[in-house]
Each structure stands twice: as C-alpha cells, then as structure tokens.
Amino acid sequence: MKPTVKELLQLIPHAQTVEVRGWVKTRRNSGNLCFIEVTDGSCLAGIQVVAESDLANYDIEVKHLSTGSSVVVSGTLVESPAKGQKVEVSAKSVELVDRADPALYPLQKKRQSFEFLRSISHLRSRTNALGAVARVRSALSYGVHHFFKERGFFQVHTPIITTSDCEGAGEMFTVTALDTAELQKKDPFRQDFFGQRAGLTVSGQLQAEIYALSHGRVYSFGPTFRAENSNTSRHLAEFWMVEPEMAFCDLECNAAVAEELIRELVAIVLENCADDVDLFNRFVSKGLAGKLEQVRDNAFVRMTYTEAVAALEKSGKEFSFPVSWGIDLQAEHERFLCEDLAGVPVIVTNYPKSIKPFYMRLDDNSTTVAAMDILVPGIGEMIGGSQREERLPVLTQQMEEAGLDPDEYSWYLDLRRFGSVPHSGFGLGFERLVQFVTGMANIRDVIPFPRTPGSAQC
Ligand code: 4AD
Ligand code: MG
C-alpha cells in the first residue's frame, strides 16, 4: 500500500519521490504553474501538487482539471513555501484517471445544504463535513471496541433476525418469505420460513444477557431496527447500538461504566480527530470543542426520576407536554434537565415501572424500576439501560403484567432458574453519540445511508 495523503503530510521532505492518488478538490492556474489540491479522504486536508507547464499533458488536461476528477500524481516531496502546509509535491507526471464533468458534477466549490447532500448520498462523503463525519464515526467505532477490550469484555454477535420484541413497543419490522396472498390467510406465520412471526431486532439485549451469564462481561455492537414513525432529527429506522451486559453489576456499576464510556469516547475523538473537530467547531456547531472538553473532564450529574420531575415542575417553564409524576419524559424535558438545569450530561435513574419494559429490576417500593437513562445537551437521551430483574417469580409476574406469554420466553426465564445473578446493561445509540461529538443537527447526516419513514435510498 502506498502512503495516504495523511501519511505524506507527516513526512519530513528530502526530495523523495512520492505518489499521490485521489480526487481534485481545487485547481488554480497561475502563469506557467498549476496548483492542484488533491484529497483522498484520509484526512481533512488535501496535499498541494504543483505542476509546471512542461508536462506533456499540461495544456490538454492538467490546466483544465476539474473538481472531483480522479488523478495519480508522481513527483518529489518538497518543503512548501506556502502558508498552512509544510510539504507539497512538485509533479513529474499528472495522470488523469477519470474526469468529473463540471457541468454535471453536483459538488462544486460553493457550500451545499445538508438537506441537498442527503439527496446525493452516493457523493456526499466527498464533502468536507460529511467526510469528517465518516472519519469520526470510524474513530468512535474503533474506540468502542478498544474500551471494552481494555476492560475484559467479550464481543457477542447477537442476531439480526429474532422472534422476541425486547422493548415490547411493537416496533419490530416483520421478516417474511410469504407473498401478499399468503399473508392474508389465517395464522400465516405458521407456514412462514421460521414457523412463527420473526422480525428485525430492536435490541440485542436479551441475547447479550445469555452471554453475560456465561462470560461475565460482554457487549454487542450492531444494527438495530425500529418501525417507529418518528420523523425527527434524532430517530432512524435503522441505527447502531452499543450494548454491554455485565454479570454481578448493579445499577450504580452500570451507570459508572456508561459514564466512563461516553467520556472516554469523547476523549478519543478530541485526541485523534482534532482537525475534524476543528471543522465542526468552526462551521457546524460553534463552541463544540469546549463542550466536548467539558464532558471529558467533568462528572455527570445524577438524579432520580422523581427528583427530575420535581425539578421540571419547579422550573416554571411551559412545556408542550405537561409534567407530572408518571409521564414518560419527552425530548423537551430531557433537554431542560441537561442543558438548563445541569449544564452537563445527566443520569436519571429509577423511572416508574409503568413506562419501562418488563425486564427491568423492580425497586423495593414496587412502583419504580432500576432504570437509567443518560441525557446529553443538544440531543436528549443517548443511553437507555437498567439493572435486570434476576428474580424468577418477580420477572414472571412482570411479564404477565406486560401481556407477554412466559412460555415464549422460557429460555430467558431459564437464566433465572439456573445460576441467576444480579446483572445490568445499557444501550448507547451510536448515531446519537456521533451527533453529539460532531454537533451535526440531523441524525440522517451521521450515518452513511439513513433509513427513515419514506426513505431508503442507495
Ligand atoms: O432506550 P432503548 O430503547 O433501550 C434498549 O433498547 C435497551 N434494550 C438497551 C439495553 O439495555 N441493552 O434504546 C437505547 C438507545 C437510546 O437511548 C437511543 O440513544 C438509541 O438507542 N435509540 C435510537 N437511536 C436512533 N433512532 C432511534 N429510532 C432510536 N431508538 C433508540
Ligand atoms: Mg430509551
């Protein structure tokens, strides 16, 4: 593999011969010279190529090179006299691999709206902002694996097709091999591929719990799917979730791991993606870098749901959804708590049982459960988790109350029959994390190919 632009920019020049392969970002002609900025996606910056008019194809190709055209440049790496770059390439040859017709290529020099860029998701990763998002997303993904490996966790590949609706919210996409006519028949899924109704997973949690009870500390990191018709800047129909599950871990331990994970991932991005963060800080979300440093360096605030409701009621603020004990917190409430009240991420615990799924551990008061959500400024909920109900009779009753048939979940109940232990876990919405660290306003711009109601292009 030849060095990337990022690697070339870090070399000390001693007139060595190098090759640059990438796409033309800009070209400027000046006298007998042509300055071409070539990028290859490896970093935000491009490398400057200086071509002189004695190149054989100078008049017919080089001086007309257009944005987006692909090139292979061979030349000498030299110190650059220009400001803002240490090195440049003095070209010995510039090969035009493929031209991007400037009359047709949609990514011209002027800034395009993120909305427009969504309509060309096959080209948008070539822009500065979306290119930076892709690099930050990759750094975060690597950071997730690094974080867990350092702490003795094993990765578990939980299934994408499943028959259990973990969250019980009825948001599973059905997976079927039946045709439309067969689906009209009585009890159709009995004749279907799996012999029962199956769907795309909404969470790998229940299966992760199985491995937590054999391997202690595990995590799953994969795509999850929800057929919820939410056209908001925080919802996708297909999104990635990081789901650790830990045996012998209570709610307090769960919250500590979750906080440490977010703060370490923020630190990784600040350290490894400084140029990209600087771009977001200047053009996407002013003050972002300071906000990230603050999250990296300060402890999160903790409060119970009951305390959170009291604070919301006391705030005197008019919310569109009125607040009272028992309601599910809405984005506006979540944002008030972390943006106006705390100014830092907030961990809210012990929610009413009635608004949380069946698997959460019942508190001694029998009205709240050992749940935990982490709310972050600008986003709202980034993490949802809990200590799990490990007591067989209590879990069976919770299931029945939730309208679930315990026989269908006998494998899940077995985990409480044979060597049950207190255990906890959480799900971190990976796109919401990417949104948070990049300051991108819309979740559709932090996943390469967003799936939302009415939209599944590319
Ligand atoms: O709070 P949720 O629904 O929790 C669970 O699914 C648990 N089973 C996780 C666990 O304990 N292992 O989802 C977890 C997180 C949310 O906090 C949010 O960040 C993200 O997943 N999320 C979404 N992100 C994008 N689009 C959606 N439609 C999302 N729904 C949830
Ligand atoms: Mg949640």
Side-chain angles (χ1 to χ4, degrees):
M1 300 280 280
K2 297 254 166 66
T4 61
V5 166
K6 183 179 180 180
E7 288 160 346
L8 289 175
L9 290 172
Q10 283 159 5
L11 293 178
I12 297 173
H14 52 82
Q16 65 269 54
T17 300
V18 294
E19 197 172 281
V20 181
R21 295 170 299 179
W23 295 267
V24 174
K25 189 95 188 172
T26 57
R27 186 220 0 106
R28 180 171 58 84
N29 300 344
S30 170
N32 285 340
L33 295 177
C34 179
F35 299 93
I36 311 155
E37 188 192 357
V38 179
T39 55
D40 68 354
S42 57
C43 59
L44 184 63
I47 192 162
Q48 174 156 283
V49 170
V50 183
E52 294 190 32
S53 59
D54 55 2
L55 293 180
N57 61 344
Y58 188 85
D59 286 321
I60 48 162
E61 283 178 345
V62 178
K63 82 181 193 192
H64 306 292
L65 282 174
S66 55
T67 300
S69 299
S70 44
V71 290
V72 174
V73 176
S74 173
T76 313
L77 192 73
V78 294
E79 229 171 87
S80 175
K83 266 215 315 227
Q85 58 196 24
K86 286 203 210 96
V87 295
E88 62 183 32
V89 176
S90 169
K92 287 187 193 136
S93 73
V94 176
E95 180 200 341
L96 171 62
V97 181
D98 187 39
R99 185 170 168 267
D101 184 345
L104 301 173
Y105 188 56
L107 296 176
Q108 296 306 323
K109 235 179 147 184
K110 73 175 168 64
R111 271 171 90 180
Q112 314 269 22
S113 73
F114 290 132
E115 207 163 14
F116 167 73
L117 292 175
R118 254 170 254 148
S119 71
I120 48 166
S121 48
H122 58 298
L123 294 172
R124 68 178 183 161
S125 56
R126 299 180 184 196
T127 63
N128 282 343
L130 277 287
V133 167
R135 281 185 296 273
V136 169
R137 189 179 163 106
S138 174
L140 284 168
S141 174
Y142 175 76
V144 165
H145 293 297
H146 178 78
F147 178 92
F148 288 118
K149 172 141 196 322
E150 292 280 289
R151 289 160 180 80
F153 282 71
F154 297 99
Q155 186 186 7
V156 180
H157 293 125
T158 51
I160 286 175
I161 298 177
T162 176
T163 52
S164 42
D165 178 2
C166 172
E167 294 306 291
E171 289 164 350
M172 276 225 290
F173 283 101
T174 300
V175 171
T176 179
L178 299 177
D179 62 28
T180 324
E182 288 168 319
L183 280 168
Q184 308 306 317
K185 293 183 188 151
K186 195 169 165 277
D187 206 3
F189 298 111
R190 238 194 239 262
Q191 271 72 44
D192 204 352
F193 193 92
F194 298 105
Q196 59 178 312
R197 187 175 192 152
L200 298 179
T201 185
V202 297
S203 161
Q205 177 198 323
L206 302 188
Q207 292 89 355
E209 282 186 56
I210 296 176
Y211 275 76
L213 291 183
S214 60
H215 286 68
R217 297 177 197 174
V218 299
Y219 71 104
S220 148
F221 182 12
T224 48
F225 309 85
R226 296 194 186 177
E228 66 186 318
N229 204 358
S230 303
N231 255 313
T232 79
S233 59
R234 310 185 315 146
H235 288 90
L236 290 164
E238 175 177 314
F239 61 99
W240 285 62
M241 221 201 296
V242 180
E243 297 188 271
E245 195 66 38
M246 297 155 282
F248 303 103
C249 177
D250 62 8
L251 186 64
E252 179 50 39
C253 147
N254 201 24
V257 173
E259 173 173 345
E260 202 180 337
L261 174 64
I262 293 180
R263 290 175 60 188
E264 175 152 325
L265 290 172
V266 167
I268 285 175
V269 168
L270 282 169
E271 193 178 326
N272 297 290
C273 307
D275 290 350
D276 293 324
V277 170
D278 182 54
L279 174 91
F280 296 124
N281 192 45
R282 282 190 292 149
F283 300 112
V284 173
S285 171
K286 298 236 170 346
L288 175 77
K291 199 175 87 177
L292 295 178
E293 282 163 10
Q294 202 207 11
V295 169
R296 179 193 62 192
D297 299 337
N298 292 288
F300 294 0
V301 164
R302 299 187 189 204
M303 62 178 79
T304 62
Y305 168 90
T306 304
E307 287 164 348
V309 167
L312 289 162
E313 283 174 334
K314 231 180 70 188
S315 71
K317 254 189 107 154
E318 283 265 323
F319 294 107
S320 355
F321 289 88
V323 181
S324 63
W325 200 96
I327 63 149
D328 205 356
L329 297 184
Q330 304 295 319
E332 55 174 342
H333 308 134
E334 296 176 340
R335 293 188 58 171
F336 172 83
L337 293 171
C338 53
E339 288 166 24
D340 303 338
L341 191 70
V344 289
V346 175
I347 307 182
V348 182
T349 59
N350 308 95
Y351 283 71
K353 165 188 157 178
S354 54
I355 55 169
K356 290 292 184 188
F358 71 93
Y359 54 72
M360 295 193 177
R361 191 179 197 278
L362 195 60
D363 290 330
D364 290 344
N365 59 25
S366 294
T367 53
T368 59
V369 285
M372 161 198 92
D373 277 8
I374 300 191
L375 318 176
V376 299
I379 307 277
E381 179 189 337
M382 185 191 282
I383 280 183
S386 72
Q387 184 170 343
R388 320 305 188 191
E389 184 53 76
E390 85 283 16
R391 298 162 296 186
L392 181 64
V394 186
L395 182 59
T396 312
Q397 192 184 338
Q398 301 265 74
M399 274 185 167
E400 279 163 358
E401 281 176 25
L404 297 173
D405 179 359
D407 287 344
E408 280 181 24
Y409 288 84
S410 61
W411 58 271
Y412 190 68
L413 292 169
D414 268 358
L415 301 174
R416 278 77 181 164
R417 284 190 189 103
F418 311 120
S420 186
V421 298
H423 62 287
S424 299
F426 61 86
L428 176 148
F430 191 62
E431 283 71 24
R432 292 192 185 172
L433 170 73
V434 183
Q435 256 191 298
F436 180 68
V437 299
T438 58
M440 295 292 284
N442 197 312
I443 199 164
R444 295 161 203 220
D445 300 327
V446 298
I447 186 164
F449 305 104
R451 271 79 180 100
T452 51
S455 166
Q457 213 196 10
C458 269

